[in-house]
PDB file of all heavy atoms in Angstrom:
ATOM      1  N   ARG A1282    -174.013 110.263   0.841  1.00 95.00           N
ATOM      2  CA  ARG A1282    -172.587 110.381   0.818  1.00 95.00           C
ATOM      3  C   ARG A1282    -172.186 111.069   2.247  1.00 95.00           C
ATOM      4  O   ARG A1282    -171.323 110.708   2.801  1.00 95.00           O
ATOM      5  CB  ARG A1282    -172.176 111.286  -0.413  1.00 95.00           C
ATOM      6  CG  ARG A1282    -170.744 111.607  -0.352  1.00 95.00           C
ATOM      7  CD  ARG A1282    -169.750 110.468  -0.343  1.00 95.00           C
ATOM      8  NE  ARG A1282    -168.403 110.784  -0.442  1.00 95.00           N
ATOM      9  CZ  ARG A1282    -167.408 109.905  -0.150  1.00 95.00           C
ATOM     10  NH1 ARG A1282    -167.644 108.758   0.302  1.00 95.00           N
ATOM     11  NH2 ARG A1282    -166.199 110.296  -0.253  1.00 95.00           N
ATOM     12  N   LEU A1283    -172.858 112.279   2.429  1.00 97.00           N
ATOM     13  CA  LEU A1283    -172.626 112.945   3.741  1.00 97.00           C
ATOM     14  C   LEU A1283    -172.901 112.195   4.797  1.00 97.00           C
ATOM     15  O   LEU A1283    -172.033 112.048   5.835  1.00 97.00           O
ATOM     16  CB  LEU A1283    -173.384 114.309   3.761  1.00 97.00           C
ATOM     17  CG  LEU A1283    -173.186 115.106   4.961  1.00 97.00           C
ATOM     18  CD1 LEU A1283    -171.604 115.522   5.134  1.00 97.00           C
ATOM     19  CD2 LEU A1283    -173.971 116.450   4.971  1.00 97.00           C
ATOM     20  N   ALA A1284    -174.041 111.519   4.874  1.00 97.00           N
ATOM     21  CA  ALA A1284    -174.366 110.665   6.078  1.00 97.00           C
ATOM     22  C   ALA A1284    -173.449 109.509   6.306  1.00 97.00           C
ATOM     23  O   ALA A1284    -172.969 109.169   7.362  1.00 97.00           O
ATOM     24  CB  ALA A1284    -175.883 109.999   5.943  1.00 97.00           C
ATOM     25  N   ASP A1285    -172.926 108.872   5.105  1.00 97.00           N
ATOM     26  CA  ASP A1285    -171.827 107.843   5.283  1.00 97.00           C
ATOM     27  C   ASP A1285    -170.659 108.322   5.835  1.00 97.00           C
ATOM     28  O   ASP A1285    -169.980 107.753   6.648  1.00 97.00           O
ATOM     29  CB  ASP A1285    -171.649 107.225   3.779  1.00 97.00           C
ATOM     30  CG  ASP A1285    -172.648 106.325   3.337  1.00 97.00           C
ATOM     31  OD1 ASP A1285    -173.149 105.568   4.188  1.00 97.00           O
ATOM     32  OD2 ASP A1285    -172.775 106.074   2.073  1.00 97.00           O
ATOM     33  N   LEU A1286    -170.158 109.586   5.245  1.00 97.00           N
ATOM     34  CA  LEU A1286    -168.893 110.210   5.863  1.00 97.00           C
ATOM     35  C   LEU A1286    -169.195 110.502   7.313  1.00 97.00           C
ATOM     36  O   LEU A1286    -168.093 110.264   8.093  1.00 97.00           O
ATOM     37  CB  LEU A1286    -168.669 111.354   5.022  1.00 97.00           C
ATOM     38  CG  LEU A1286    -168.020 111.114   3.639  1.00 97.00           C
ATOM     39  CD1 LEU A1286    -167.983 112.464   2.918  1.00 97.00           C
ATOM     40  CD2 LEU A1286    -166.639 110.424   3.567  1.00 97.00           C
ATOM     41  N   CYS A1287    -170.250 110.916   7.683  1.00 97.00           N
ATOM     42  CA  CYS A1287    -170.526 111.215   9.138  1.00 97.00           C
ATOM     43  C   CYS A1287    -170.376 109.859   9.939  1.00 97.00           C
ATOM     44  O   CYS A1287    -169.554 109.792  10.985  1.00 97.00           O
ATOM     45  CB  CYS A1287    -171.863 111.705   9.380  1.00 97.00           C
ATOM     46  SG  CYS A1287    -172.064 113.548   9.002  1.00 97.00           S
ATOM     47  N   GLU A1288    -170.954 108.831   9.394  1.00 96.00           N
ATOM     48  CA  GLU A1288    -170.892 107.524  10.227  1.00 96.00           C
ATOM     49  C   GLU A1288    -169.395 107.104  10.282  1.00 96.00           C
ATOM     50  O   GLU A1288    -168.981 106.527  11.424  1.00 96.00           O
ATOM     51  CB  GLU A1288    -171.797 106.594   9.554  1.00 96.00           C
ATOM     52  CG  GLU A1288    -173.286 106.906   9.697  1.00 96.00           C
ATOM     53  CD  GLU A1288    -174.204 106.012   8.767  1.00 96.00           C
ATOM     54  OE1 GLU A1288    -173.758 105.131   8.197  1.00 96.00           O
ATOM     55  OE2 GLU A1288    -175.420 106.554   8.599  1.00 96.00           O
ATOM     56  N   LYS A1289    -168.641 107.170   9.133  1.00 97.00           N
ATOM     57  CA  LYS A1289    -167.289 106.637   9.289  1.00 97.00           C
ATOM     58  C   LYS A1289    -166.410 107.504  10.033  1.00 97.00           C
ATOM     59  O   LYS A1289    -165.474 107.043  10.648  1.00 97.00           O
ATOM     60  CB  LYS A1289    -166.736 106.770   7.761  1.00 97.00           C
ATOM     61  CG  LYS A1289    -167.302 105.676   6.756  1.00 97.00           C
ATOM     62  CD  LYS A1289    -166.826 105.924   5.401  1.00 97.00           C
ATOM     63  CE  LYS A1289    -167.494 104.831   4.469  1.00 97.00           C
ATOM     64  NZ  LYS A1289    -167.146 105.125   3.048  1.00 97.00           N
ATOM     65  N   ASN A1290    -166.709 108.751  10.316  1.00 97.00           N
ATOM     66  CA  ASN A1290    -165.908 109.656  11.161  1.00 97.00           C
ATOM     67  C   ASN A1290    -166.474 109.882  12.482  1.00 97.00           C
ATOM     68  O   ASN A1290    -165.992 110.691  13.291  1.00 97.00           O
ATOM     69  CB  ASN A1290    -165.771 110.919  10.455  1.00 97.00           C
ATOM     70  CG  ASN A1290    -164.916 110.827   9.178  1.00 97.00           C
ATOM     71  OD1 ASN A1290    -163.502 110.848   9.402  1.00 97.00           O
ATOM     72  ND2 ASN A1290    -165.365 110.809   8.072  1.00 97.00           N
ATOM     73  N   ARG A1291    -167.599 109.057  12.821  1.00 97.00           N
ATOM     74  CA  ARG A1291    -168.118 109.073  14.176  1.00 97.00           C
ATOM     75  C   ARG A1291    -168.696 110.450  14.527  1.00 97.00           C
ATOM     76  O   ARG A1291    -168.523 110.939  15.627  1.00 97.00           O
ATOM     77  CB  ARG A1291    -167.205 108.561  15.320  1.00 97.00           C
ATOM     78  CG  ARG A1291    -166.795 107.117  15.000  1.00 97.00           C
ATOM     79  CD  ARG A1291    -165.914 106.678  16.137  1.00 97.00           C
ATOM     80  NE  ARG A1291    -165.448 105.181  16.086  1.00 97.00           N
ATOM     81  CZ  ARG A1291    -164.685 104.500  16.777  1.00 97.00           C
ATOM     82  NH1 ARG A1291    -164.224 105.184  17.877  1.00 97.00           N
ATOM     83  NH2 ARG A1291    -164.401 103.280  16.500  1.00 97.00           N
ATOM     84  N   ILE A1292    -169.222 111.064  13.507  1.00 98.00           N
ATOM     85  CA  ILE A1292    -169.954 112.401  13.680  1.00 98.00           C
ATOM     86  C   ILE A1292    -171.439 112.044  13.481  1.00 98.00           C
ATOM     87  O   ILE A1292    -171.880 111.305  12.510  1.00 98.00           O
ATOM     88  CB  ILE A1292    -169.515 113.438  12.671  1.00 98.00           C
ATOM     89  CG1 ILE A1292    -167.905 113.705  12.892  1.00 98.00           C
ATOM     90  CG2 ILE A1292    -170.270 114.669  12.811  1.00 98.00           C
ATOM     91  CD1 ILE A1292    -167.402 114.532  11.733  1.00 98.00           C
ATOM     92  N   ALA A1293    -172.345 112.484  14.326  1.00 98.00           N
ATOM     93  CA  ALA A1293    -173.667 112.309  14.232  1.00 98.00           C
ATOM     94  C   ALA A1293    -174.275 113.187  13.134  1.00 98.00           C
ATOM     95  O   ALA A1293    -173.948 114.264  12.954  1.00 98.00           O
ATOM     96  CB  ALA A1293    -174.434 112.605  15.583  1.00 98.00           C
ATOM     97  N   PHE A1294    -175.146 112.431  12.286  1.00 98.00           N
ATOM     98  CA  PHE A1294    -175.804 113.127  11.107  1.00 98.00           C
ATOM     99  C   PHE A1294    -177.150 113.422  11.703  1.00 98.00           C
ATOM    100  O   PHE A1294    -177.948 112.570  12.127  1.00 98.00           O
ATOM    101  CB  PHE A1294    -175.856 112.228   9.961  1.00 98.00           C
ATOM    102  CG  PHE A1294    -176.613 112.947   8.718  1.00 98.00           C
ATOM    103  CD1 PHE A1294    -175.930 113.818   7.865  1.00 98.00           C
ATOM    104  CD2 PHE A1294    -177.913 112.436   8.506  1.00 98.00           C
ATOM    105  CE1 PHE A1294    -176.655 114.475   6.876  1.00 98.00           C
ATOM    106  CE2 PHE A1294    -178.542 113.130   7.365  1.00 98.00           C
ATOM    107  CZ  PHE A1294    -177.942 114.116   6.685  1.00 98.00           C
ATOM    108  N   ILE A1295    -177.615 114.695  11.801  1.00 98.00           N
ATOM    109  CA  ILE A1295    -178.945 115.106  12.379  1.00 98.00           C
ATOM    110  C   ILE A1295    -179.863 114.938  11.233  1.00 98.00           C
ATOM    111  O   ILE A1295    -180.407 115.805  10.532  1.00 98.00           O
ATOM    112  CB  ILE A1295    -178.796 116.529  12.957  1.00 98.00           C
ATOM    113  CG1 ILE A1295    -177.713 116.599  14.009  1.00 98.00           C
ATOM    114  CG2 ILE A1295    -180.217 116.914  13.527  1.00 98.00           C
ATOM    115  CD1 ILE A1295    -177.628 117.940  14.631  1.00 98.00           C
ATOM    116  N   GLY A1296    -180.379 113.537  11.235  1.00 97.00           N
ATOM    117  CA  GLY A1296    -181.293 113.143  10.200  1.00 97.00           C
ATOM    118  C   GLY A1296    -181.379 111.636  10.225  1.00 97.00           C
ATOM    119  O   GLY A1296    -180.802 111.030  11.176  1.00 97.00           O
ATOM    120  N   PRO A1297    -181.939 111.136   9.221  1.00 96.00           N
ATOM    121  CA  PRO A1297    -182.061 109.621   9.107  1.00 96.00           C
ATOM    122  C   PRO A1297    -180.600 108.967   8.871  1.00 96.00           C
ATOM    123  O   PRO A1297    -179.856 109.696   8.467  1.00 96.00           O
ATOM    124  CB  PRO A1297    -182.994 109.246   8.081  1.00 96.00           C
ATOM    125  CG  PRO A1297    -183.682 110.619   7.741  1.00 96.00           C
ATOM    126  CD  PRO A1297    -182.741 111.640   8.121  1.00 96.00           C
ATOM    127  N   LYS A1298    -180.540 107.673   9.114  1.00 94.00           N
ATOM    128  CA  LYS A1298    -179.426 106.856   8.801  1.00 94.00           C
ATOM    129  C   LYS A1298    -179.264 106.823   7.294  1.00 94.00           C
ATOM    130  O   LYS A1298    -180.141 107.017   6.570  1.00 94.00           O
ATOM    131  CB  LYS A1298    -179.410 105.490   9.389  1.00 94.00           C
ATOM    132  CG  LYS A1298    -179.594 105.440  10.942  1.00 94.00           C
ATOM    133  CD  LYS A1298    -178.415 106.257  11.702  1.00 94.00           C
ATOM    134  CE  LYS A1298    -178.475 105.922  13.167  1.00 94.00           C
ATOM    135  NZ  LYS A1298    -177.541 106.710  13.865  1.00 94.00           N
ATOM    136  N   SER A1299    -178.005 106.503   6.903  1.00 94.00           N
ATOM    137  CA  SER A1299    -177.706 106.449   5.419  1.00 94.00           C
ATOM    138  C   SER A1299    -178.547 105.581   4.641  1.00 94.00           C
ATOM    139  O   SER A1299    -178.832 105.773   3.437  1.00 94.00           O
ATOM    140  CB  SER A1299    -176.209 106.407   5.069  1.00 94.00           C
ATOM    141  OG  SER A1299    -175.736 105.134   5.769  1.00 94.00           O
ATOM    142  N   ASP A1300    -178.789 104.411   5.232  1.00 93.00           N
ATOM    143  CA  ASP A1300    -179.558 103.395   4.552  1.00 93.00           C
ATOM    144  C   ASP A1300    -181.012 103.811   4.342  1.00 93.00           C
ATOM    145  O   ASP A1300    -181.618 103.470   3.192  1.00 93.00           O
ATOM    146  CB  ASP A1300    -179.565 102.025   5.199  1.00 93.00           C
ATOM    147  CG  ASP A1300    -180.183 102.078   6.657  1.00 93.00           C
ATOM    148  OD1 ASP A1300    -180.175 103.134   7.308  1.00 93.00           O
ATOM    149  OD2 ASP A1300    -180.744 101.068   6.993  1.00 93.00           O
ATOM    150  N   ILE A1301    -181.583 104.636   5.128  1.00 94.00           N
ATOM    151  CA  ILE A1301    -182.931 105.121   5.117  1.00 94.00           C
ATOM    152  C   ILE A1301    -182.901 106.213   3.996  1.00 94.00           C
ATOM    153  O   ILE A1301    -183.817 106.344   2.952  1.00 94.00           O
ATOM    154  CB  ILE A1301    -183.421 105.630   6.360  1.00 94.00           C
ATOM    155  CG1 ILE A1301    -183.568 104.668   7.404  1.00 94.00           C
ATOM    156  CG2 ILE A1301    -184.874 106.472   6.116  1.00 94.00           C
ATOM    157  CD1 ILE A1301    -184.003 105.194   8.731  1.00 94.00           C
ATOM    158  N   LEU A1302    -181.901 107.070   4.025  1.00 94.00           N
ATOM    159  CA  LEU A1302    -181.735 107.979   2.901  1.00 94.00           C
ATOM    160  C   LEU A1302    -181.644 107.433   1.579  1.00 94.00           C
ATOM    161  O   LEU A1302    -182.191 107.925   0.615  1.00 94.00           O
ATOM    162  CB  LEU A1302    -180.449 108.866   3.159  1.00 94.00           C
ATOM    163  CG  LEU A1302    -180.538 109.892   4.341  1.00 94.00           C
ATOM    164  CD1 LEU A1302    -179.108 110.342   4.681  1.00 94.00           C
ATOM    165  CD2 LEU A1302    -181.487 111.041   3.977  1.00 94.00           C
ATOM    166  N   ALA A1303    -180.950 106.333   1.392  1.00 92.00           N
ATOM    167  CA  ALA A1303    -180.802 105.619   0.146  1.00 92.00           C
ATOM    168  C   ALA A1303    -182.160 105.096  -0.259  1.00 92.00           C
ATOM    169  O   ALA A1303    -182.460 105.265  -1.478  1.00 92.00           O
ATOM    170  CB  ALA A1303    -179.751 104.577   0.313  1.00 92.00           C
ATOM    171  N   LYS A1304    -182.910 104.442   0.577  1.00 91.00           N
ATOM    172  CA  LYS A1304    -184.131 103.857   0.263  1.00 91.00           C
ATOM    173  C   LYS A1304    -185.206 104.970  -0.234  1.00 91.00           C
ATOM    174  O   LYS A1304    -185.835 104.802  -1.205  1.00 91.00           O
ATOM    175  CB  LYS A1304    -184.778 103.019   1.387  1.00 91.00           C
ATOM    176  CG  LYS A1304    -183.982 101.803   1.727  1.00 91.00           C
ATOM    177  CD  LYS A1304    -184.641 101.146   3.012  1.00 91.00           C
ATOM    178  CE  LYS A1304    -183.876  99.944   3.461  1.00 91.00           C
ATOM    179  NZ  LYS A1304    -184.422  99.369   4.689  1.00 91.00           N
ATOM    180  N   MET A1305    -185.233 105.960   0.500  1.00 90.00           N
ATOM    181  CA  MET A1305    -186.363 106.981   0.313  1.00 90.00           C
ATOM    182  C   MET A1305    -185.900 108.030  -0.805  1.00 90.00           C
ATOM    183  O   MET A1305    -186.654 108.764  -1.258  1.00 90.00           O
ATOM    184  CB  MET A1305    -186.758 107.583   1.691  1.00 90.00           C
ATOM    185  CG  MET A1305    -187.145 106.712   2.696  1.00 90.00           C
ATOM    186  SD  MET A1305    -188.537 105.360   1.972  1.00 90.00           S
ATOM    187  CE  MET A1305    -189.786 106.460   1.662  1.00 90.00           C
ATOM    188  N   GLY A1306    -184.619 108.156  -0.909  1.00 85.00           N
ATOM    189  CA  GLY A1306    -184.110 109.242  -1.906  1.00 85.00           C
ATOM    190  C   GLY A1306    -184.293 108.794  -3.356  1.00 85.00           C
ATOM    191  O   GLY A1306    -184.431 109.526  -4.144  1.00 85.00           O
ATOM    192  N   ASP A1307    -184.486 107.432  -3.433  1.00 86.00           N
ATOM    193  CA  ASP A1307    -184.865 106.861  -4.794  1.00 86.00           C
ATOM    194  C   ASP A1307    -186.338 106.699  -4.760  1.00 86.00           C
ATOM    195  O   ASP A1307    -186.937 105.866  -4.066  1.00 86.00           O
ATOM    196  CB  ASP A1307    -184.213 105.496  -4.943  1.00 86.00           C
ATOM    197  CG  ASP A1307    -184.553 104.760  -6.328  1.00 86.00           C
ATOM    198  OD1 ASP A1307    -185.607 105.122  -6.889  1.00 86.00           O
ATOM    199  OD2 ASP A1307    -183.840 103.969  -6.786  1.00 86.00           O
ATOM    200  N   LYS A1308    -187.069 107.559  -5.546  1.00 84.00           N
ATOM    201  CA  LYS A1308    -188.452 107.626  -5.429  1.00 84.00           C
ATOM    202  C   LYS A1308    -189.195 106.353  -5.953  1.00 84.00           C
ATOM    203  O   LYS A1308    -190.314 105.988  -5.446  1.00 84.00           O
ATOM    204  CB  LYS A1308    -189.079 108.826  -6.223  1.00 84.00           C
ATOM    205  CG  LYS A1308    -188.682 110.160  -5.500  1.00 84.00           C
ATOM    206  CD  LYS A1308    -189.289 111.393  -6.134  1.00 84.00           C
ATOM    207  CE  LYS A1308    -188.986 112.696  -5.351  1.00 84.00           C
ATOM    208  NZ  LYS A1308    -187.678 112.976  -5.296  1.00 84.00           N
ATOM    209  N   ILE A1309    -188.528 105.669  -6.827  1.00 88.00           N
ATOM    210  CA  ILE A1309    -189.101 104.407  -7.366  1.00 88.00           C
ATOM    211  C   ILE A1309    -188.979 103.347  -6.218  1.00 88.00           C
ATOM    212  O   ILE A1309    -189.922 102.664  -6.041  1.00 88.00           O
ATOM    213  CB  ILE A1309    -188.270 103.944  -8.579  1.00 88.00           C
ATOM    214  CG1 ILE A1309    -188.554 104.996  -9.869  1.00 88.00           C
ATOM    215  CG2 ILE A1309    -188.780 102.575  -9.095  1.00 88.00           C
ATOM    216  CD1 ILE A1309    -187.763 104.720 -10.963  1.00 88.00           C
TER     217      ILE A1309
END
């Protein structure tokens, strides 16, 4: 959510992109 909001507001998120967070945040 935070990474998405950063991307929508053209603010850099100091971490992976939101799609990577989604993939790896779900441990399954």
Side-chain angles (χ1 to χ4, degrees):
R1282 176 62 177 161
L1283 180 58
D1285 279 334
L1286 287 172
C1287 284
E1288 290 166 15
K1289 288 175 182 176
N1290 288 279
R1291 297 183 179 180
I1292 297 171
F1294 181 79
I1295 300 177
K1298 302 297 184 185
S1299 59
D1300 62 328
I1301 300 173
L1302 289 168
K1304 289 175 184 176
M1305 303 312 292
D1307 181 336
K1308 291 185 173 64
I1309 297 172

